[in-house]
Amino acid sequence: MNCYETLFVVKPTLTEEEIAAQIAKVKEVLTKVEAELLATDDMGMRKLAYPVEKNERGYYTVLFYKANGEAIAEIERNLKINEEIIKFLTVKYSKNKEIAQFDKLVAAANKSESKEA
């Protein structure tokens, strides 16, 4: 299994409950494709670098997980057809230095998650 990071941006017009539901929907897809979710980093509402679908802002979320290569196609397919998600990006970590950085990011995300709880 390879290490992946997927960042996606949810429309800013949704309520907090709707945003949480969209994030849960993406996590559900990860479960279906048997990916191992390691950490979630909710970055919150941020200004976009440029307008996307007439939106100036968006709710950023990053998921760190381990999955097989075939699973990525299904995850990205679900992100594409979800009208509430305006942008997404998946990054694969394969080299040893990249995996070491991935582990640091996961630890930092888990640390900030435990502080919020």
Side-chain angles (χ1 to χ4, degrees):
M1 296 220 302
N2 297 313
C3 299
Y4 293 95
E5 164 189 332
T6 297
L7 173 125
F8 59 95
V9 183
V10 180
K11 284 184 179 177
T13 54
L14 303 179
T15 64
E16 285 185 31
E17 294 82 23
E18 291 171 327
I19 290 171
Q22 292 301 321
I23 295 169
K25 193 183 285 187
V26 175
K27 288 181 180 178
E28 211 173 274
V29 173
L30 288 175
T31 306
K32 283 182 188 171
V33 296
E34 297 174 6
E36 179 188 343
L37 182 63
L38 302 173
T40 303
D41 186 7
D42 284 331
M43 299 170 75
M45 196 67 70
R46 293 181 172 214
K47 186 175 182 336
L48 299 170
Y50 53 90
V52 178
E53 297 176 15
K54 298 184 181 177
N55 293 303
E56 298 284 334
R57 301 175 63 73
Y59 191 90
Y60 283 69
T61 302
V62 183
L63 302 176
F64 299 97
Y65 56 94
K66 289 186 177 182
N68 294 322
E70 305 87 47
I72 301 306
E74 179 64 16
I75 294 165
E76 289 191 345
R77 185 187 73 78
N78 279 279
L79 289 169
K80 281 180 192 170
I81 62 174
N82 188 335
E83 292 180 4
E84 305 303 334
I85 294 176
I86 54 177
K87 281 279 182 196
F88 67 90
L89 174 72
T90 300
V91 178
K92 177 182 177 183
Y93 293 89
S94 55
K95 297 185 174 109
N96 287 339
K97 281 186 176 180
E98 292 172 346
I99 292 172
Q101 183 63 27
F102 176 81
D103 292 337
K104 286 180 186 175
L105 290 169
V106 169
N110 284 330
K111 196 179 218 180
S112 67
E113 214 173 84
S114 63
K115 282 183 183 176
E116 292 172 7

